[in-house]
Amino acid sequence: MLKAYSIASRLLQITGVLILAGSAFLAVAFLYGGDRPASLFCGATALASAIVVILAGRMRKQMKTWSDKFPPSLR
């Protein structure tokens, strides 16, 4: 169970980083082009994906700490 959760959270982090990079790039591109609403939307998306990356990392670490208390047969 821990392995599956660890892999899923790592994939979520990788996806979040890719979305973060893309939306940050688009925010700068739209801002440079003069489209403020699109830039604000992409900036908000970048912020949300950064939060997802941080939360996925914390949840992975918490699951590891929590599962260390399980008996070996349940890990």
Side-chain angles (χ1 to χ4, degrees):
M1 182 175 142
L2 178 62
K3 273 190 170 183
Y5 187 80
S6 180
I7 290 170
S9 65
R10 189 62 78 179
L11 287 175
L12 185 64
Q13 282 182 313
I14 290 170
T15 304
V17 167
L18 290 174
I19 292 172
L20 173 68
S23 59
F25 173 75
L26 286 176
V28 171
F30 283 133
L31 191 60
Y32 182 72
D35 193 1
R36 277 195 160 175
S39 178
L40 286 174
F41 177 75
C42 289
T45 304
L47 181 63
S49 65
I51 291 170
V52 165
V53 169
I54 291 169
L55 287 177
R58 285 187 181 178
M59 290 299 292
R60 185 173 172 266
K61 196 179 293 183
Q62 181 64 31
M63 182 65 176
K64 173 85 171 122
T65 304
W66 185 54
S67 70
D68 285 344
K69 298 176 186 175
F70 289 168
S73 61
L74 293 177
R75 287 186 211 165

